[in-house]
Amino acid sequence: MSALTTAFPSEIADDDAAGIVAWAGRTFGSGLVLTASFEDPVLVHLVATHAPGTPIVVLDTQYLFAETKWLIDNLHRRLKFPLEVFHPAADVVPDDQWQFDVEGCCGRRKVEPLARALSGRTGWITGIRRVDGPTRADTPIVQFDEARNITKINPLAAWSDEHVERYIVDHALPRNPLTERGYPSIGCWPCTRPVAPGEDKRAGRWSGHNKTECGLHVSPVQNPTAKN
Ligand code: SF4
């Protein structure tokens, strides 16, 4: 089946994340992968439960918070999913690049390792949600990323913060400790600060720079046959 003609079944509701993940598992099989930021445990738990055996990728930029690493280890022990960790090509990357070139740093520490992580895959599950901020407000459930030649599945696109909170409580899952310290969006420690009440959820990412996305989720082309 061509990725471009992969139809998403209309009977699965936009907010049925478990149904979306299970559909992705059936459709893409061993070609499916999840890239996870471990900002929260929800999508990792959904994928480990409803598409078991799907590799879960961590892009270890070298600058992950200790709290994020703790959550990765905790969930990995608990759920026993296949964990794949991708590192930057450290021998060619200056380790202070984030101080003077955030675009270049993200390119070398996130975008290039992502390309390796997605190589040979056909389906890519991500955790992006419409409520993350204005740049993600139109996120569809399924889209085709032409630049990367892969179908992208966003099972949580329609989920609110309340959905996430209810899932964590219902399944007694551990949280990233930074969440309770004012970090609603969590990336690398040099480029993430807590946000003030009323600020946009992603206002703490690359604060002070004209940058809102790391480059992982830019310019995908939506599959015209897929569900919005
Ligand atoms: S978020 Fe900051 S530290 Fe992390 S890869 Fe991007 S520029 Fe580098």
Side-chain angles (χ1 to χ4, degrees), residues 1-6 28 31 33 114-115 118-124 143-152 218-221:
M1 181 186 301
S2 160
L4 274 171
T5 58
T6 300
F28 298 98
V33 67
L114 175 69
L118 297 183
S119 177
R121 317 275 192 186
T122 52
W124 171 26
Q143 60 196 147
F144 190 70
D145 185 333
E146 278 194 349
R148 296 186 174 99
N149 192 35
I150 195 167
T151 299
K152 191 171 175 181
V218 293
S219 303
V221 175

Side-chain angles (χ1 to χ4, degrees), residues 61 63 97-98 101-103 105-107 109-110 187-191 205-206 211 214:
T61 61
Y63 303 127
Q97 192 172 11
W98 60 272
D101 176 17
V102 289
E103 290 295 346
C105 186
C106 276
R109 293 180 181 276
K110 291 188 173 184
C188 299
W189 64 259
C191 301
R205 305 290 297 279
W206 305 283
K211 177 175 172 67
C214 55

Side-chain angles (χ1 to χ4, degrees), residues 58-62 85-90 108-109 112-113 116:
V58 172
L59 302 177
D60 184 355
T61 61
Q62 181 187 342
V85 182
F86 284 78
H87 301 277
R108 288 176 168 155
R109 293 180 181 276
E112 188 280 327
R116 278 186 271 128

Side-chain angles (χ1 to χ4, degrees), residues 55-145:
I56 297 182
V57 164
V58 172
L59 302 177
D60 184 355
T61 61
Q62 181 187 342
Y63 303 127
L64 297 180
F65 283 96
E67 289 86 347
T68 301
K69 292 180 181 177
W70 171 83
L71 184 60
I72 294 169
D73 290 343
N74 186 299
L75 289 173
H76 189 222
R77 275 199 306 276
R78 205 183 268 236
L79 301 173
K80 306 191 187 322
F81 48 81
L83 177 64
E84 297 185 3
V85 182
F86 284 78
H87 301 277
D91 55 332
V92 297
V93 179
D95 69 3
D96 59 351
Q97 192 172 11
W98 60 272
Q99 295 180 315
F100 56 87
D101 176 17
V102 289
E103 290 295 346
C105 186
C106 276
R108 288 176 168 155
R109 293 180 181 276
K110 291 188 173 184
V111 178
E112 188 280 327
L114 175 69
R116 278 186 271 128
L118 297 183
S119 177
R121 317 275 192 186
T122 52
W124 171 26
I125 298 180
T126 88
I128 58 180
R129 294 191 290 138
R130 293 170 190 156
V131 296
D132 286 340
T135 58
R136 298 181 173 187
D138 297 325
T139 300
I141 303 297
V142 180
Q143 60 196 147
F144 190 70
D145 185 333

Side-chain angles (χ1 to χ4, degrees), residues 20-42:
I20 295 165
V21 167
W23 168 81
R26 290 193 302 274
T27 303
F28 298 98
S30 60
L32 187 65
V33 67
L34 163 66
T35 56
S37 68
F38 289 84
E39 179 178 291
D40 67 61
V42 171

